Amino acid sequence: MHTKLTRRTFNLALGSLALSASTVRLNAEELLEKQFVRYAVAADDIKTLDPHFSVGTGEITGPYYEGLLAFPDGIITSDRLEPGLATEWRVAEDGVTWTFKLRQGVQWHHGHGEFTAEDVKFSIERVKSPAVASAFADTLSAIETVTIIDSHTVQIKTSHVEPSLPAFLANTQGGFVVSKHAVEAGVDLRTHPIGTGPFEFQNYRTRESQTMVRNKKYWGGVPTIEQITILYMGDDSTRELALLNGDVHGIELAARQDAVERMRNGGMIVELTAPANMFSLLFNLKHKPLDDIRVRKALAGAIDRDILVEFLGKDVAIPEFSPLPSGYLGHSDNVPYTTHDPLKSKALLKEAGHGDGLSLSMVISNSNIYLPPMQVIQEMWKQIGVHLELKVVDHPTYHRLIREDVNPVVIYGAYRYPLTGTVLLTQLYHSKSAIGRPTASLNFSHYGEVIPGVDELLDQARSELDQKKQVELWAKAQRKITEDVVSVPLLTRKYAMARTPKLDLGFEQKSDSDYGFNEKTRLLK
């Protein structure tokens, strides 16, 4: 059984002490009288605030909604989950039957009643429903049935052993629980969120803002912040100026070294968080001459990660060497990656019959997170006699074309919850994920389809409940992928945020792409 005493449950138990007269007086001396936060995001508007569909920048739903389980404050991790709307959970000896005891007395926003097991069943089935077509349906695909034992107990059965189930039911993506009563009453969650979280929806203004106010009935304690307004500012310079001028308290910051330095020089606090998007090159094994490992090693050995990191910014980028990013559960540094050695790369090309050089052509996105790094690599490859033609297209076209298998090399940035080998390694390296198959995902290399891959290791790891054994299987998979040189992990580009020192989050922000406003957040004088 997984049960934990956490900050929230502890605060509830000692609530009367936390609100003692001395504490209230201290806070009154420290805090601004008006606790109204303004936060600017890198978007011109939203597509939806429905948590089962929200994937875009600026579509902030975390303060409204909760999952059965919760991350520690400021950290997104799958191996340190805390109670959320569930107070305890356990898996039976069969490995597929999970029981969750639910928190009692939790109220839905705007008078939609008490949270119960009915809401859990409704939410999971809503995410899984083909008719609903949630963006996160796949994350809950292992769930076979959801049975209500009583008003505050649910039993979930999976079709196979799924160790990551608790992580998929945490407060993110398909794990968010929505109100059955609100949806059935016709509330449009796209523009009117109804949750159980510390803040409840007040209004949404098209292409301008969304505003939330504190939930005075929040089970985790009344938030200090009275109101949060999320402002839509798609232009990077506009957001920076708004923060420096004091018009907002925090912003989504462009992950660039110059932007980070401007904010720091202006007296702002900058958070750079990871795991974030890890960028890799993936070699298409169906394209000659990339079916020759000597050519792949030559191309890999010509890449200097230090130059790439310096190009993007030493504070915003970190080099990566393993197919599973640093910070993910199961990440291993013990991989036989190809070191930077241009002379050896030239020798390998000559040995492979390309002593006079080699020409490649690929489409590339015009996005500023894809094109500039690829141009740097283009110059690195030129030094070993490889001429790379870059055909620049818009970002949607790039994603369409790489899924049509047109490129010999694909550069791709990925961040995949639950931050383990379960999803990311399967999507990029399992043969079932190879482009062109009905189950295609991101396996642009056709690994496991053209040459033997890591299917067995990944399949074993996915159903291994013993975390130590699971991590060992992922480590073996990373070593094999690296030995076969089917990809070149390049770097992780961190998420960036900036805030005035007056905005006290109440915790250290180590993960996520947006500030995690909660009941602890406050504005200081």
Side-chain angles (χ1 to χ4, degrees), residues 288-395:
K288 291 185 177 297
L290 297 177
D291 57 336
D292 189 329
I293 192 170
R294 294 170 297 183
V295 174
R296 301 198 300 273
K297 283 184 176 180
L299 295 173
I303 295 173
D304 188 338
R305 292 174 177 82
D306 291 338
I307 290 178
L308 281 170
V309 167
E310 188 65 29
F311 175 78
L312 291 176
K314 58 183 176 59
D315 290 332
V316 301
I318 55 175
E320 297 283 4
F321 302 91
S322 172
L324 190 62
S326 52
Y328 279 51
L329 177 65
H331 165 81
S332 175
D333 291 317
N334 183 24
V335 293
Y337 66 90
T338 306
T339 57
H340 176 235
D341 190 339
L343 291 178
K344 186 175 181 180
S345 290
K346 288 182 179 180
L348 283 167
L349 285 178
K350 184 175 182 180
E351 182 184 325
H354 304 285
D356 294 330
L358 176 65
S359 293
L360 297 172
S361 176
M362 63 179 284
V363 297
I364 182 66
S365 167
N366 62 2
S367 164
N368 61 10
I369 64 172
Y370 278 92
L371 180 57
M374 204 63 227
Q375 289 172 325
V376 174
I377 293 170
Q378 181 185 41
E379 288 302 310
M380 292 176 180
W381 284 355
K382 186 182 294 183
Q383 302 306 310
I384 65 167
V386 174
H387 174 72
L388 176 65
E389 180 188 11
L390 296 177
K391 299 178 179 179
V392 181
V393 298
D394 61 78
H395 197 58

Side-chain angles (χ1 to χ4, degrees), residues 185-229:
V187 176
D188 188 351
L189 299 185
R190 293 175 298 176
T191 56
H192 193 130
I194 299 291
T196 58
F199 294 92
E200 56 186 20
F201 176 79
Q202 185 179 67
N203 63 57
Y204 160 65
R205 301 181 187 279
T206 304
R207 299 184 65 81
E208 181 182 326
S209 66
Q210 63 166 297
T211 300
M212 57 189 79
V213 296
R214 65 183 172 192
N215 176 9
K216 296 180 180 179
K217 298 179 181 179
Y218 182 53
W219 61 266
V222 179
T224 301
I225 294 296
E226 300 171 61
Q227 177 180 295
I228 300 174
T229 300

Side-chain angles (χ1 to χ4, degrees), residues 16 32 42 59 77 105 127 157 160 167 193 224 280-281 285-286 300 312 315 317 342 346 362 366 376 399 455 480:
S16 59
L32 280 176
E59 295 174 354
T77 178
V127 172
K157 284 200 173 186
H160 57 268
T224 301
S280 299
L281 286 181
L285 303 175
K286 286 189 171 183
L312 291 176
D315 290 332
K346 288 182 179 180
M362 63 179 284
N366 62 2
V376 174
H399 277 283
D455 291 6
K480 178 159 177 53

